[in-house]
Amino acid sequence: MNQFLCGKLREYTFLKSRKPEAVGITLFRMFRARVRTAAWLSFMTMVSVASFTQESFTSVQIRPDRSVTFSFRAVGAKQVMLSLEGSGPAVMSRNSEGVWSITTEPLVPDYYGYSFLVDQVPALDPENTVIKPNLINPENEFLLPANPPAAWEVSEVPHGILHHHFYKSSVAGDQRDYFVYTPPNYDPREKTKYPVLYLLHGYSDDASGWWAVGRANVILDNLIAQRKAKPMIVVMPLGYGDMKMIEHKWGAWADTGLRDRNFAKFREALLTEVIPQVEKSYSVSRKAEDRAIAGLSMGGSETLLTGLSNPDKFEWIGAFSSGGLPEPFDKSFPAVDANLNKQVKRIWISCGTEDRLIEPNRRLFSWLKSKNVNFTPVETPGDHTWMVWRRNLIDFASLIFQK
């Protein structure tokens, strides 16, 4: 299936699944409003400054050397910039027909989010139907394919199934959702009890983040087919304990009371609502040794706050580029000491070396060492991007539930 059809299918599935009468109406309307606002800005920009010629126009061209040329038609604009995931804003050049363009250096094969800034106004690409969903900053997206295909690319292997669940949260006081991936050949009628990974998204994403952007289901399909990972069930919940975290946008992190309440209520919702529902509905093991928790950025902090405080429930803990983790760590983790080594099989903590969060993560490394806690510190090239987190998931999923 080509990129266009995959994009249309993903958009249709993503939007269709969020019926206002069934799921977090707040989430649905917020996401829809974000997408419509960004699309409207793009449309108005095009109406006011675009050339109305109807010839074929390609906005993303992948070159043989893996460099990519981006183009955007805006006749009356004074400046157009490209915002590409993993890179800073870059000024584009204008030709005589009002088409702005820029060619990147050769890129590593992966999915990339991007958008444009037209005279400092964010704009989506009207020529690309593939949207990278986000509650605050939706973008377009394209795939730079690898040869052979990478773990996040759909391959000719058996595929698992994504299930979408909705429920009323008494903890958060709203309607919310979560996704469950079941591996190929999963049959609830059989006696097999599967291990389960609770996989948490980052700030500004929603419950779909890990499959719609992170391609977690595709990654698991490929790893399981290659026998690099155990067949497992993956649960992807909504990662907010308090939706004011999104209503206040990035300024929410300056409100430490809101931040701490968000973390505490998320942990409570996961432990008392999501996990019991999953264990009632799916054939999963209830043993701590068969239960893992991992997450990125905000979800990485939620992973540590939940996992390190509940070693009787999670024996596998993975934190990717953890963000917003409250310091001092002695206050956040009062019970953590060397006894944790007898209870947890693996604590795996990673961060990109170009990530703005590398220093807080290094402070966490030092603190865990001071407590004589065994853990695996991982530093990889890369910034605060999905290119880092997809690879983190590949590595972590290959480690967990192994004897």
Side-chain angles (χ1 to χ4, degrees):
M1 187 179 294
N2 64 30
Q3 185 179 354
F4 174 80
L5 290 178
C6 284
K8 294 299 287 184
L9 178 60
R10 185 166 65 252
E11 284 183 76
Y12 176 81
T13 303
F14 183 79
L15 294 175
K16 188 72 174 177
S17 64
R18 284 160 173 71
K19 298 178 180 179
E21 66 270 23
V23 128
I25 295 177
T26 300
L27 276 179
F28 178 84
R29 288 177 176 172
M30 287 173 64
F31 174 72
R32 184 174 58 186
R34 297 292 176 195
V35 173
R36 285 181 173 176
T37 299
W40 179 251
L41 286 172
S42 290
F43 174 74
M44 291 305 296
T45 299
M46 294 302 291
V47 167
S48 61
V49 301
S51 166
F52 287 93
T53 54
Q54 299 299 314
E55 72 272 12
S56 177
F57 183 76
T58 302
S59 58
V60 180
Q61 293 179 293
I62 299 175
R63 305 292 183 182
D65 66 348
R66 298 204 309 270
S67 63
V68 180
T69 297
F70 293 88
S71 300
F72 188 84
R73 200 192 306 273
V75 175
K78 296 180 180 180
Q79 183 187 68
V80 178
M81 304 179 75
L82 169 71
S83 178
L84 177 65
E85 187 174 6
S87 305
V91 177
M92 304 174 72
S93 300
R94 180 187 185 280
N95 68 11
S96 59
E97 298 179 349
V99 175
W100 299 75
S101 63
I102 189 171
T103 300
T104 70
E105 296 294 324
L107 301 176
V108 176
D110 212 319
Y111 281 94
Y112 289 83
Y114 73 97
S115 61
F116 299 102
L117 287 172
V118 183
D119 293 333
Q120 299 303 309
V121 178
L124 294 177
D125 181 355
E127 307 296 331
N128 184 357
T129 61
V130 183
I131 301 296
K132 177 184 173 183
N134 191 278
L135 294 175
I136 296 178
N137 298 309
E139 298 179 300
N140 292 99
E141 189 175 55
F142 74 97
L143 170 65
L144 180 59
N147 186 18
W152 47 81
E153 296 181 54
V154 176
S155 303
E156 293 295 331
V157 299
H159 300 301
I161 297 175
L162 275 173
H163 311 260
H164 198 180
H165 295 264
F166 311 96
Y167 77 101
K168 171 66 181 294
S169 171
S170 60
V171 173
D174 60 19
Q175 298 282 347
R176 51 186 47 212
D177 64 334
Y178 61 91
F179 290 87
V180 176
Y181 163 86
T182 51
N185 303 316
Y186 169 80
D187 187 345
R189 296 168 296 182
E190 295 182 354
K191 295 183 179 181
T192 302
K193 296 294 184 181
Y194 287 83
V196 57
L197 165 62
Y198 290 87
L199 189 58
L200 315 181
H201 63 76
Y203 181 71
S204 77
D205 291 318
D206 70 0
S208 74
W210 261 114
W211 68 261
V213 186
R215 271 72 188 185
N217 57 313
V218 176
I219 289 172
L220 265 296
D221 285 346
N222 289 326
L223 292 181
I224 292 170
Q226 297 165 11
R227 298 184 182 276
K228 293 181 178 179
K230 293 282 188 180
M232 68 183 77
I233 287 174
V234 182
V235 180
M236 294 162 275
L238 181 67
Y240 307 99
D242 189 330
M243 287 308 299
K244 288 182 180 179
M245 284 294 293
I246 286 296
E247 293 173 18
H248 295 179
K249 299 185 180 180
W250 293 99
W253 292 101
D255 185 341
T256 56
L258 173 58
R259 176 202 65 186
D260 294 346
R261 183 168 66 253
N262 177 66
F263 283 149
K265 283 188 172 293
F266 166 77
R267 181 167 61 248
E268 183 182 355
L270 177 68
L271 296 176
T272 66
E273 294 179 337
V274 176
I275 291 179
Q277 290 182 52
V278 169
E279 293 182 343
K280 180 179 179 180
S281 302
Y282 292 90
S283 182
V284 299
S285 170
R286 301 189 181 194
K287 298 177 182 179
E289 66 187 59
D290 293 326
R291 197 184 288 135
I293 185 169
L296 69 90
S297 194
M298 178 186 74
S301 294
E302 291 171 337
T303 290
L304 294 169
L305 291 167
T306 304
L308 295 180
S309 301
N310 295 275
D312 60 319
K313 294 181 174 62
F314 305 95
E315 290 194 9
W316 307 87
I317 299 170
F320 316 152
S321 310
S322 301
L325 192 62
E327 298 186 55
F329 299 128
D330 282 316
K331 182 178 180 180
S332 295
F333 306 103
V336 168
D337 56 29
N339 290 323
L340 199 64
N341 301 329
K342 302 175 184 178
Q343 300 170 283
V344 176
K345 294 184 181 300
R346 180 68 70 101
I347 301 172
W348 196 90
I349 305 175
S350 67
C351 192
T353 53
E354 287 74 54
D355 195 322
R356 65 186 182 279
L357 297 174
I358 187 64
E359 290 306 322
N361 277 267
R362 285 172 175 166
R363 290 197 295 272
L364 178 63
F365 293 167
S366 298
W367 181 79
L368 288 170
K369 289 178 182 177
S370 74
K371 295 293 182 178
N372 297 312
V373 173
N374 297 331
F375 71 103
T376 304
V378 179
E379 293 188 8
T380 65
D383 208 329
H384 204 71
T385 67
W386 279 101
M387 286 80 82
V388 170
W389 304 322
R390 292 187 192 98
R391 289 163 176 80
N392 289 163
L393 177 60
I394 292 168
D395 292 340
F396 186 69
S398 300
L399 292 172
I400 58 177
F401 312 131
Q402 304 290 347
K403 300 298 182 182

